[in-house]
Amino acid sequence: MNTAKEYTISEETIFNLLDAKELDAIPHKELKFILGGKGASLHTMIHTGVPVPPVFTITTGECRNFYKGDQELSKELVKSVLKNIERLEQQTGRSFGSKKKPLLISVRSGAYISMPGMMDTVLNIGLNNDSVQALIKETENPWFVWDSYAKLVSMYGEVVLNVPKTAFHAARKRTDIRSGF
């Protein structure tokens, strides 16, 4: 049950946490009802001076609307996500899906209460066959890049497509053995 008192904030469905000054007056324990636990913690870290990479968070209200409705992303949300990805590109000097300096994004779910093991994560979104080559050239570490790509495929398969973990682990084990890892 949401016991947070009402705060007057904009109707944004996404907050760029580096610029969301209107959230500063809201206590952390109440901010969790708006941003989820991870979003509230990131906001607190940013505003206490802890270095945090550029970040944005989708509000818990938008998530509730998704599950109450037809479970389709609203046009407004998609537009806002794309706008915030553009902002990340500007802040990092990287481009999503780029063949030169790819921007990689992590998506983490969060609730206002801690639920270890229950939340989903997909890392390294933005890797594809072209961006992998760019990242190998940049890092000079092919194993790291291919491992990152494998994690993206595995997590996306598990979280989004509901492919059993065992399918990815078996394939990964065979590949690692053949590759000498």
Side-chain angles (χ1 to χ4, degrees):
M1 182 164 107
N2 185 344
T3 59
K5 63 182 178 180
E6 292 297 316
Y7 289 92
T8 303
I9 59 171
S10 67
E11 293 296 317
E12 292 290 319
T13 57
I14 293 181
F15 285 100
N16 177 320
L17 295 182
L18 297 177
D19 299 331
K21 303 292 183 213
E22 66 187 296
L23 301 175
D24 291 353
I26 303 173
H28 176 80
K29 69 180 185 176
E30 306 219 6
L31 196 57
K32 294 192 308 185
F33 289 104
I34 300 167
L35 301 177
K38 287 181 181 73
S41 293
L42 285 166
H43 179 268
T44 300
M45 291 168 65
I46 290 165
H47 293 284
T48 55
V50 176
V52 174
V55 59
F56 65 87
T57 186
I58 299 171
T59 65
T60 57
E62 186 66 28
C63 182
R64 283 190 299 276
N65 292 340
F66 175 84
Y67 284 109
K68 285 180 188 173
D70 57 7
Q71 297 191 8
E72 294 279 330
L73 299 178
S74 69
K75 290 178 184 175
E76 295 80 17
L77 178 61
V78 171
K79 185 177 176 181
S80 188
V81 167
L82 295 174
K83 180 177 111 186
N84 277 278
I85 290 173
E86 286 178 13
R87 185 179 292 166
L88 291 178
E89 290 175 328
Q90 292 166 358
Q91 291 171 324
T92 63
R94 296 182 165 275
S95 297
F96 192 70
S98 171
K99 294 180 182 182
K100 293 185 180 176
K101 288 185 76 175
L103 171 68
L104 304 184
I105 297 173
S106 297
V107 176
R108 300 178 182 271
S109 62
Y112 63 88
I113 56 169
S114 180
M115 299 170 63
M118 299 301 291
M119 300 287 99
D120 294 320
T121 298
V122 180
L123 303 174
N124 309 319
I125 298 170
L127 280 176
N128 58 45
N129 291 339
D130 294 328
S131 61
V132 161
Q133 297 306 318
L135 208 53
I136 288 172
K137 185 175 179 180
E138 182 179 351
T139 65
E140 298 179 354
N141 189 340
W143 185 89
F144 163 73
V145 176
W146 286 115
D147 182 58
S148 298
Y149 198 18
K151 286 177 183 169
L152 165 64
V153 171
S154 173
M155 290 176 163
Y156 186 86
E158 293 168 27
V159 171
V160 179
L161 303 176
N162 294 314
V163 175
K165 276 185 184 181
T166 54
F168 291 106
H169 292 293
R172 181 71 188 264
K173 190 172 184 178
R174 287 191 306 273
T175 303
D176 287 350
I177 290 169
R178 279 184 269 176
S179 301
F181 293 112

